[in-house]
Structures are given as C-alpha cells and as structure tokens.
Amino acid sequence: MILDQKLFGGIILTADKSLRVCEKGHKFYKSSECKSCPICDKENKPKSGFLSKLSAPARNALVHEGIDTLKKLSKYTEKEILKIHGIGPASLPIMRTSLKEEGLSFKE
C-alpha cells in the first residue's frame, strides 16, 4: 500500500492506494474500489467512434450496460444515462454532439 498526497485548496488530502493485478497480469495502484485496470483501458480504447471520445469510466459504464452504438444510446434519456455509475455530466456534451452528427438525439 502506498499513500498518495495531494494539495487541494491548502489542505493535504491523503489516499491509501493498494497494489492491484488485473486478469492480464498488469500491476497498478488504486485508491477506489473500481476494478478497472488503467493499462487494459488504454489497450481497449476504440480508435474511432463516439466511445473513443469518452473517458475510460464513462466508456466502460456504457459498454457494461450494452450501450455500444449511438442508436442504442438514443433510446435513453439524459437522466437515465446520468444514473449509470461511471457517467458524469462532463460526458453528456460529447454524447449529444456525437448523436447530433448522426441525426440522432437522446430520448425525450
């Protein structure tokens, strides 16, 4: 275990990071319960398409829910998408733009 210290607004925040090993044998440190391997995330990042524009947590969350195309994404409201663990408000503009480029939009 290692301690990661960051200065935030004049306060030092400390996070315990534990060593993890993914199924492929990659070693990495994480302070959260998230099991996502950052090395695997980089290897699995699509080269193109709307998923390639999203952060790894958002991309993984959508794929985990079976939302891997814009057509499938368009069947959800923005509110429903935001309820998915791993999706934050910063991802919505990227998704909106991608949908609009294909003549689609979120469900009303």
Side-chain angles (χ1 to χ4, degrees):
M1 184 180 309
I2 63 169
L3 291 178
D4 184 26
Q5 294 185 334
K6 294 182 181 175
L7 186 63
F8 181 76
I11 300 170
I12 296 177
L13 300 176
T14 303
D16 294 334
K17 290 189 172 189
S18 57
L19 178 64
R20 313 264 178 100
V21 181
C22 77
E23 294 173 357
K24 291 185 175 180
H26 300 133
K27 295 179 182 180
F28 58 97
Y29 287 92
K30 278 244 175 144
S31 59
S32 70
E33 293 300 316
C34 176
K35 295 179 172 102
S36 171
C37 169
I39 300 163
C40 288
D41 285 343
K42 284 182 183 175
E43 290 176 354
N44 296 331
K45 182 177 179 178
K47 303 260 188 267
S48 62
F50 86 102
L51 290 173
S52 69
K53 300 173 185 175
L54 297 171
S55 66
R59 183 174 56 252
N60 291 340
L62 289 176
V63 170
H64 180 75
E65 295 292 321
I67 305 169
D68 55 358
T69 67
L70 287 169
K71 189 171 183 175
K72 289 178 185 176
L73 181 63
S74 70
K75 295 180 181 187
Y76 294 84
T77 65
E78 289 185 14
K79 196 172 185 176
E80 289 171 327
I81 291 297
L82 283 173
K83 287 181 182 177
I84 300 171
H85 178 75
I87 305 286
S91 298
L92 284 180
I94 297 166
M95 289 186 256
R96 270 190 226 113
T97 300
S98 295
L99 285 164
K100 188 176 180 180
E101 288 172 353
E102 295 298 316
L104 299 168
S105 63
F106 283 108
K107 187 171 114 181
E108 294 295 320

